[in-house]
Amino acid sequence: MKGILALVCFLPCLTSGAHLSFPGEGEQREVPSFYSVSDSEIKSISETLYSADVNRATSSEIILNLQHKISSDQTSAGQDYAKQKLFSYVDEDALFSKPTFARLLALLNNYERMTGKEEVVTASERQEVDAFLDEIFKTRVMEKLNQFFLSTGIYLSENDFKADLKEMWFGLYSRSKGAAMDSSGFEHVFHGEIKSGKISGFHNWVHYYELEKNGEINYLSYSYNGPWTGYPDIMAFQYSWTGYLKSIGSFFIGSSPEFELAVYTLCYKTRPNKLCTLSLGGKSAQIQTYSWANSEYGAGKRYLASSYPNSP
């Protein structure tokens, strides 16, 4: 009898769902509602993740030079209003020696930024991905997110969570209509890509800093600076990457790799393809996520296509 009741209770979950539009496709797809997480729960766990991010930068470890602010109707012009770099100073010894930062930096030279070119993943690069994931799962940020996912039934075990996170973020798919397996969620968000003559994705401050330091990025102006007085902060700014323009690039600044991956994954699992409202240090922030609609993994799961802080 209990088995029958369980089946009766489970069947509505298979037939109910929310209709969502995915980027690049006009059709509606049905996503099963296996679990439900309230807005207040998302705000509460995001505050927990914010407090747990002990690896984030202090105010003395990053100094920014914002220079010129532009209005929203000026963002696409690509005009250079800044004579100097965005990052005046980053305490690399303090920040980049931390294990999760060091593991992230090791991943950033593994990608071909041009879409349409095959991503060849070597054995050593696969080991670097595993080492990165092993390191972030040692942090309190991922410990707290794992506890939340288990308590809400989103995952049944930490191993399930870790395996799915790896696939959704690092699984390869094609942004070139099948011409090449040229992209992943991680590459798009943390590294950045060039598509149709413009920067696509690219929302990680560490990679931005490294490229700016090496003279590959030209900072142009900013259009949004969040209300946080310390780090992490949220900013939106304009820049070019060896001549390719990003008209609005939104970033967490000063956050740890584990914090970014955690809040993006939280929002992707609970509010896919929607704005997801967080509370960080008592202040509101929103994350936009998108799933990749043209291919899947597992039992109909979607790779992460993009995730980034929304800037007003």
Side-chain angles (χ1 to χ4, degrees), residues 16-223:
S16 66
H19 290 284
L20 300 174
S21 294
F22 294 89
E25 295 203 347
E27 64 178 310
Q28 299 286 317
R29 296 180 182 271
E30 185 141 303
V31 178
S33 301
F34 291 109
Y35 45 80
S36 178
V37 176
S38 69
D39 291 345
S40 62
E41 286 176 307
I42 293 175
K43 290 178 182 177
S44 177
I45 183 59
S46 60
E47 282 288 3
T48 299
L49 299 177
Y50 179 85
S51 298
D53 188 16
V54 296
N55 286 332
R56 66 189 179 197
T58 65
S59 296
S60 64
E61 289 170 342
I62 295 177
I63 299 175
L64 299 176
N65 184 8
L66 299 182
Q67 300 166 78
H68 187 81
K69 184 177 182 179
I70 63 173
S71 60
S72 58
D73 59 354
Q74 296 176 294
T75 56
S76 61
Q79 186 170 344
D80 191 352
Y81 291 99
K83 294 182 179 180
Q84 299 173 327
K85 295 178 180 180
L86 171 63
F87 285 90
S88 296
Y89 172 75
V90 171
D91 190 339
E92 295 188 25
D93 290 339
L95 290 171
F96 295 168
S97 62
K98 295 177 180 179
T100 56
F101 281 94
R103 294 298 187 186
L104 172 65
L105 287 165
L107 295 178
L108 295 178
N109 64 351
N110 292 349
Y111 298 100
E112 167 56 63
R113 67 175 182 166
M114 304 300 294
T115 58
K117 292 188 177 182
E118 192 84 11
E119 288 291 352
V120 179
V121 184
T122 67
S124 63
E125 289 173 350
R126 285 192 289 270
Q127 290 173 357
E128 287 175 346
V129 169
D130 288 338
F132 173 71
L133 294 176
D134 288 344
E135 205 62 59
I136 67 168
F137 269 85
K138 296 176 185 176
T139 66
R140 283 188 56 78
V141 170
M142 296 306 286
E143 176 189 348
K144 294 297 183 182
L145 182 60
N146 177 63
Q147 290 171 356
F148 176 78
F149 280 160
L150 297 186
S151 69
T152 54
I154 294 176
Y155 292 106
L156 299 179
S157 70
E158 181 178 310
N159 287 339
D160 289 340
F161 170 32
K162 188 176 182 181
D164 192 43
L165 184 147
K166 180 180 179 180
E167 198 63 38
M168 80 172 73
W169 277 96
F170 291 94
L172 292 177
Y173 51 82
S174 176
R175 289 186 188 266
S176 52
K177 299 181 179 179
M181 297 295 279
D182 56 2
S183 187
S184 67
F186 183 86
E187 177 183 1
H188 184 81
V189 174
F190 282 80
H191 183 275
E193 301 173 295
I194 305 298
K195 184 177 182 180
S196 302
K198 295 181 180 179
I199 299 172
S200 180
F202 198 156
H203 302 286
N204 177 250
W205 75 268
V206 174
H207 194 213
Y208 178 98
Y209 165 74
E210 286 291 304
L211 292 174
E212 186 181 63
K213 180 179 68 174
N214 294 333
E216 297 180 55
I217 275 184
N218 180 30
Y219 171 64
L220 306 177
S221 57
Y222 78 101
S223 53

